[in-house]
């Protein structure tokens, strides 16, 4: 049994691998003391060696982890395990998004990260859902109900928010605005993907991949299938667990 | 030794220079702390680094006093911002040349009260130092000699001139025959401007001697950088960066002597298998925009992530010393022409086309035995940022791992940079 833990900026993910299978996983909101919280989660698995990844990996190493790898490598390992033909990964998390290219053997050959602004991240969707009065888990479904072509022009989250408010005041349907918000995230991540170049299978991971509307619009935009793992949040933790195998 | 290290203070000297002494007094202790963390925490440093550590210790005192004394003797003290301004000519007039590029976050706020925020931090930092009167080097210079390289700099000179006399040397944007003609004229004007300050015409022999002095300095730096290419690394990237930064404010002849002594020591260390990083440590080189004192951010992150930096293709790096000047039998006008030709070989991204630089980066990558290139671009430096696209293409063609980083002096993105750099090291290690 091996354990991987991903200390992200917004959630902590745990993956337990047994005999090459993902046996158990957990996703919890992170608190101010992520290492204590992680240690609490890990109590169920005493004496196991633990590999940490994510934003809080160094903290984990200081307190409990036996080894660390970056999110980039963790996603490469995790995505490749789930989809052996994967050569390109899109990971959209709470605070950042990244694209990773793999060579034929699954090794990282190039990567790019957007971690300076909220646009194209989960944070952006969350803010916009809030200003339209949707719960985050219904936001994608609402957008799917729209067949509109409305778009928002502002990439910056702060300006996009006021644009959303004025669209509402202009009488546009909330679903149509929701779709426009989703489309803006898709445009942003598609541009990142096109910059790095997409080869073979494209895997979409991270918490935002739970939003079916993003994956759907992305498939339409790119004109190719987008593979979403069953639990897209834990791909990084899974990769960490695989690292020690 | 590390307990004793301290960046020294001299409030009396600073007030003579007209500095904001109260505010500046906070800076030496802060620098002491940062320097100790970044440099003195390293293991098995060459003993010859003691001289350079001492240069840091005296950065706001002893060295300033030397410049102040030179000024009292009527020698010109000239501040520059670019390796295109010919130091040889300042030296020939028995002058002192000091690089004023700013590498500190501390003065950005001062600059942003006046300058737009979205320009290069190097320009903002330097300008802020002057506006806030918190850089003794800025206060000790007689005048500043700027140039027309990038837009941020050339337009800032107009404003800087309101605080300190600022001359501008025109540097062309292309390197054709007609540009060379203009360039030679500019070099001659520069010589006249320096002569006007001293009231003395520079003689042929004085220029010849100063060219030799600078050649010797550049050759010593070439020698040191060549030794550094040894695997395992005999000196850290941080220490090398520091030496290359000190090159911009030390006395050339003294600096040359100390660099050569360090080279001698490193040769002995190599023969005794004494290194600063174990064999097999990931070797990275840096290309791109200069890192002015005290900008040690990237090197610190990279080397604390377990890799070693083995080359800087930068103006505070190889661009400063890769070329020298042959003076054999030349008269004044021939020397000025040869000098200009030497300066024309500097491959800054402000020029177009600039394909020599791409070749030079690849060459230094091979020579240094690096395994990957980190292209470092200061935020809002458009020329280097755009040129990074060509560099990436060239690296992809050659199969060289390449990571482009855009950053400024703020500590905010340290965590993000750390992730990228660690991932880049993992990518190389496979
Ligand atoms: S990067 Fe260009 S403009 Fe800047 S110091 Fe170097 S040569 Fe001058
Ligand atoms: S780094 Fe770029 S923008 Fe900044 S001063 Fe140098 S050339 Fe200009």
């Amino acid at each position: 049994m091996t354990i991987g833990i991903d200390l992200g900026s917004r959630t902590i993910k745990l993956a337990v691998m047994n005999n090459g299978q993902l046996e158990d996983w957990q996703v919890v909101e992170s608190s101010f003391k992520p290492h204590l919280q992680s240690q609490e989660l890990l109590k169920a698995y005493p004496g196991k060696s633990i590999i940490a990844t994510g934003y809080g990996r160094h903290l984990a190493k200081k307190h409990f982890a036996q080894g660390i790898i970056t999110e980039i490598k963790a996603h490469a390992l995790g995505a490749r395990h789930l989809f052996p033909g994967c050569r390109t990964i899109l990971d959209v998390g709470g605070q950042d998004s990244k694209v990773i290219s793999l060579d034929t053997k699954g090794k990282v050959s190039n990567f790019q990260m957007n971690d300076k602004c909220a646009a194209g991240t989960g944070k952006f969707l969350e803010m916009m859902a809030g200003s339209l009065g949707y719960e985050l888990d219904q936001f994608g479904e609402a957008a799917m109900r729209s067949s509109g072509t409305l778009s928002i022009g502002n990439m910056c989250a702060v300006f996009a928010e006021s644009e959303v408010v004025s669209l509402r005041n202009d009488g546009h349907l909330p679903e149509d605005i929701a779709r426009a918000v989703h489309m803006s995230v898709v445009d942003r991540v598609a541009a990142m993907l096109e910059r790095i170049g997409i080869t073979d299978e494209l895997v979409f991971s991270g918490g935002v991949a739970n939003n079916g509307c993003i994956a759907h619009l992305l498939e339409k935009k790119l004109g190719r299938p987008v593979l979403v793992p069953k639990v897209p949040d834990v791909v990084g933790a899974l990769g960490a667990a695989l690292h020690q195998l | 030794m590390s307990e004793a290290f301290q960046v020294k203070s001299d409030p009396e000297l600073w007030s003579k220079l007209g500095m904001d002494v109260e505010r500046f007094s906070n800076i030496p202790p802060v620098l002491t702390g940062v320097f100790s963390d970044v440099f003195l925490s390293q293991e098995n440093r060459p003993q010859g680094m003691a001289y350079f550590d001492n240069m840091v210790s005296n950065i706001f005192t002893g060295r300033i006093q030397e410049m102040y004394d030179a000024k009292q003797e009527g020698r010109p003290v000239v501040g520059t911002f670019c390796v295109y301004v010919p130091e040889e000519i300042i030296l020939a007039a028995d002058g002192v040349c000091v690089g004023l590029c700013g590498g500190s976050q501390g003065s950005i706020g001062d600059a942003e009260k006046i300058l737009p925020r979205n320009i290069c931090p190097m320009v903002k930092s330097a300008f802020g130092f002057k506006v806030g009167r918190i850089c003794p080097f800025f206060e000790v210079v007689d005048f500043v000699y700027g140039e027309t390289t990038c837009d941020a700099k050339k337009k800032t000179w107009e404003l800087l001139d309101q605080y300190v006399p600022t001359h501008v040397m025109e540097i062309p944007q292309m390197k054709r025959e007609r540009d060379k003609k203009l360039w030679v004229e500019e070099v001659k004007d520069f010589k006249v401007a320096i002569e006007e300050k001293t009231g003395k015409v520079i003689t042929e022999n004085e220029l010849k001697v100063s060219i030799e002095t600078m050649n010797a300095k550049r050759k010593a730096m070439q020698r040191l950088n060549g030794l550094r290419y040894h695997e395992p690394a005999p000196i850290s990237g941080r220490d090398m960066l520091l030496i290359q930064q000190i090159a911009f404010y030390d006395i050339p002849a003294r600096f040359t002597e100390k660099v050569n002594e360090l080279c001698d020591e490193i040769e002995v260390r190599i023969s005794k298998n004494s290194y600063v990083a174990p064999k097999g440590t990931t070797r990275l080189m840096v290309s791109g925009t200069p890192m002015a004192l005290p900008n040690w951010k990237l090197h610190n992150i990279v080397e604390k992530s377990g890799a070693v930096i083995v080359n800087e293709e930068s103006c505070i790096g190889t661009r400063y010393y890769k070329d020298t000047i042959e003076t054999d039998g030349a008269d004044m006008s021939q020397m000025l022409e040869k000098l200009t030709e030497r300066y024309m070989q500097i491959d800054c991204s402000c020029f177009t086309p600039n394909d020599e630089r791409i070749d030079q980066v690849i060459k230094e990558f091979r020579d240094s035995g690096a395994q990957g290139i980190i292209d470092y671009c200061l935020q809002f430096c458009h020329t280097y940022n755009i040129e990074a696209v060509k560099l990436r293409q060239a690296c992809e063609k050659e199969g060289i791992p390449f990571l482009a980083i855009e950053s400024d002096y703020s500590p905010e993105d340290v965590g993000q940079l750390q992730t990228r750099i660690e991932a880049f090291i993992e990518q190389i290690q496979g």
Side-chain angles (χ1 to χ4, degrees):
Chain A
M1 181 189 282
T2 59
I3 295 171
I5 188 159
D6 179 352
L7 288 82
S9 50
R10 321 211 51 199
T11 51
I12 296 176
K13 284 82 66 173
L14 181 82
V16 181
M17 289 290 293
N18 209 354
N19 296 323
Q21 293 301 316
L22 182 60
E23 190 176 273
D24 194 13
W25 69 83
Q26 285 195 54
V27 181
V28 298
E29 298 272 319
S30 59
S31 67
F32 285 114
K33 295 230 162 65
H35 59 288
L36 296 181
Q37 210 183 349
S38 304
Q39 277 165 300
E40 204 48 50
L41 291 176
L42 290 164
K43 272 196 184 142
Y45 309 96
K48 302 288 175 213
S49 107
I50 294 146
I51 301 293
T53 185
Y55 172 77
R57 65 191 179 284
H58 288 286
L59 192 67
K61 174 130 190 238
K62 203 168 136 201
H63 292 282
F64 60 84
Q66 275 73 48
I68 54 172
I69 57 174
T70 65
E71 300 90 293
I72 310 288
K73 185 165 186 179
H75 277 90
L77 289 168
R80 212 39 199 202
H81 176 78
L82 298 170
F83 301 96
C86 163
R87 294 275 309 276
T88 311
I89 302 161
L90 167 67
D91 173 70
V92 185
Q95 303 274 39
D96 66 7
S97 43
K98 46 188 163 285
V99 290
I100 307 165
S101 292
L102 306 179
D103 66 14
T104 48
K105 296 197 195 83
K107 270 172 49 185
V108 175
S109 60
N110 199 358
F111 63 88
Q112 268 176 33
M113 296 173 79
N114 159 37
D115 46 21
K116 285 234 170 84
C117 75
T121 70
K123 178 83 192 157
F124 181 78
L125 284 171
E126 199 181 303
M127 281 169 74
M128 298 305 133
S131 57
L132 283 165
Y134 286 111
E135 290 297 320
L136 190 57
D137 55 3
Q138 291 153 18
F139 196 33
E141 284 164 39
M144 287 292 265
R145 285 197 296 273
S146 160
S147 54
T149 52
L150 194 67
S151 70
I152 57 170
N154 276 300
M155 282 290 187
C156 168
V158 179
F159 294 117
E161 193 151 37
S162 53
E163 194 176 344
V164 162
V165 172
S166 66
L167 286 172
R168 246 177 48 190
N169 293 342
D170 289 349
H172 287 284
L173 291 176
E175 290 100 271
D176 289 344
I177 306 174
R179 188 183 184 280
V181 166
H182 282 70
M183 205 55 222
S184 102
V185 172
V186 167
D187 285 342
R188 183 84 176 199
V189 297
M192 278 177 80
L193 281 164
E194 274 154 11
R195 233 181 133 86
I196 206 165
I198 308 174
T199 349
D200 297 352
E201 289 177 12
L202 168 63
V203 172
F204 179 19
S205 67
V208 171
N210 286 311
N211 179 324
C213 183
I214 298 281
H216 169 74
L217 292 175
L218 187 62
E219 280 194 333
K220 268 178 60 184
K221 169 139 190 137
L222 298 173
R224 63 190 306 152
V226 172
L227 306 172
V228 180
K230 217 165 58 204
V231 195
D233 317 62
V234 295
V235 175
L238 171 64
L242 288 162
H243 178 65
Q244 51 200 344
L245 291 180
Chain B
M1 188 200 87
S2 61
E3 275 82 45
F5 178 84
Q6 199 196 350
V7 177
K8 293 187 206 141
S9 295
D10 188 346
E12 208 176 303
L13 175 63
W14 300 337
S15 74
K16 265 198 283 190
L17 294 172
M19 293 178 64
D20 183 340
V21 176
E22 201 189 313
R23 200 175 144 202
F24 187 68
S25 298
N26 301 321
I27 295 185
V30 173
L31 191 60
T32 301
V34 177
F35 187 81
S36 305
D37 172 56
V38 177
F39 290 93
L40 304 179
S41 61
Q42 302 176 93
E43 278 172 27
N44 198 25
R45 295 172 82 207
Q47 280 175 3
M49 284 311 296
Y51 170 77
F52 300 98
D53 291 349
N54 197 41
M55 279 303 292
V56 176
S57 179
N58 285 302
I59 184 167
F60 303 136
T61 53
R63 182 63 192 128
I64 300 296
Q65 185 69 52
E66 285 175 343
M67 292 175 144
Y68 183 76
D69 294 344
K71 192 172 154 151
Q72 300 302 104
E73 288 162 23
R75 297 166 57 197
V77 181
V78 186
T80 62
F81 291 89
C82 178
V83 297
Y84 280 121
V85 176
E87 229 175 308
E88 284 83 355
I89 291 178
I90 301 172
L91 227 58
D94 199 22
V96 179
C97 177
V98 56
L100 292 178
C101 289
S104 160
Q105 178 70 11
S107 54
I108 301 269
D110 297 79
E112 286 180 349
K113 285 184 202 149
I114 298 163
L115 289 174
R117 297 186 65 198
N118 55 347
I119 60 172
C120 161
M122 176 121 77
V123 175
K124 279 192 287 190
S125 171
F127 187 74
F129 275 133
K130 182 65 215 179
V131 173
R133 293 180 292 120
I134 45 171
C135 170
F137 290 99
F138 237 125
E139 300 310 313
V140 80
V141 298
D142 289 306
F143 53 86
V144 162
Y145 231 100
E147 30 33 70
T148 59
T149 46
C150 68
D151 291 352
K153 286 206 276 182
K154 74 181 171 214
K155 295 307 286 182
T156 299
W157 306 148
E158 295 172 25
L159 299 172
L160 188 63
D161 192 40
Q162 298 171 356
Y163 300 84
V164 55
T166 305
H167 304 266
V168 181
M169 175 173 185
E170 179 166 1
I171 303 292
Q173 315 255 299
M174 298 180 80
K175 290 176 179 168
R176 301 160 304 183
E177 215 26 62
R178 68 181 94 153
D179 301 306
K180 183 180 162 189
K181 274 196 202 118
L182 170 94
W183 204 325
V184 173
E185 291 308 311
E186 289 291 320
V187 167
K188 287 180 182 160
D189 285 355
F190 179 69
K191 178 169 161 285
V192 170
I194 301 293
E195 288 169 342
E196 271 168 6
K197 171 74 195 148
T198 60
K200 250 176 53 205
V201 173
I202 295 170
T203 67
E204 228 168 73
N205 192 52
E206 282 165 344
L207 183 59
K208 190 171 182 312
V209 170
S210 78
I211 288 176
E212 276 159 14
T213 306
M214 285 306 296
N215 280 351
K217 177 177 172 184
R218 301 196 209 271
K219 280 182 186 153
M221 294 177 86
Q222 288 171 12
R223 179 181 169 210
L224 181 60
N225 211 44
L227 285 168
R228 169 201 201 178
Y229 289 170
H230 192 278
E231 152 70 6
I235 182 167
S236 72
R238 275 169 283 180
D239 281 340
M240 282 299 300
L241 175 62
L242 180 68
I243 294 168
Q244 295 169 109
Q245 289 170 330
I246 289 171
F248 287 85
Y249 73 88
D250 198 1
I251 297 170
R254 178 172 71 191
F255 176 85
T256 305
E257 193 186 314
K258 293 298 171 183
V259 169
N260 277 320
E261 279 173 28
L262 179 63
C263 290
D264 296 341
E265 183 193 346
I266 289 179
E267 278 168 359
V268 173
R269 279 164 68 98
I270 292 175
S271 73
K272 291 187 178 154
N273 289 319
S274 174
Y275 304 109
V276 297
K279 191 170 181 351
T281 301
T282 302
R283 299 166 68 83
L284 301 176
M285 80 165 251
V286 174
S287 62
T289 52
M291 296 171 181
L293 267 172
N295 178 10
W296 305 309
K297 188 170 158 182
L298 181 71
H299 281 57
N300 194 34
I301 299 174
V302 170
E303 298 202 330
K304 286 189 176 161
S305 301
V308 60
I309 294 183
V310 294
N311 190 65
E312 290 83 18
E313 185 277 329
S314 163
C315 288
I316 301 183
T318 54
R319 279 203 289 276
Y320 179 63
Y321 52 77
K322 71 179 171 61
D323 310 303
T324 52
I325 305 168
E326 283 299 329
T327 54
D328 281 354
D331 64 15
M332 179 58 93
S333 115
Q334 288 165 330
M335 271 194 286
L336 290 176
E337 191 172 330
K338 288 189 179 215
L339 179 144
T340 307
E341 280 163 3
R342 182 256 164 213
Y343 278 84
M344 285 183 75
Q345 286 177 46
I346 301 171
D347 40 13
C348 171
S349 69
C350 290
F351 280 82
T352 187
N354 193 37
D355 292 331
E356 325 70 288
R357 173 161 173 255
I358 309 295
D359 300 339
Q360 181 66 23
V361 173
I362 305 285
K363 178 181 180 295
E364 290 179 19
F365 171 82
R366 303 244 181 270
D367 291 350
S368 64
Q371 295 161 284
I373 298 177
I374 299 180
D375 190 64
Y376 174 77
C377 184
L378 284 168
Q379 214 174 12
F380 306 118
C381 175
H382 304 314
T383 55
Y384 278 94
N385 206 0
I386 297 170
E387 202 159 277
V389 177
K390 272 199 155 176
L391 204 49
R392 178 185 286 283
Q393 290 166 349
C395 287
E396 273 166 9
K397 208 171 123 229
E398 302 278 331
I400 298 171
F402 181 84
L403 176 69
I405 276 177
E406 204 186 332
S407 184
D408 60 10
Y409 303 156
S410 78
E412 277 156 36
D413 62 350
V414 166
Q416 296 156 352
L417 289 180
Q418 211 173 5
T419 300
R420 279 172 215 223
I421 287 161
E422 285 176 29
F424 190 52
I425 296 170
E426 286 172 347
Q427 176 188 333
I428 289 168
Q429 290 172 344

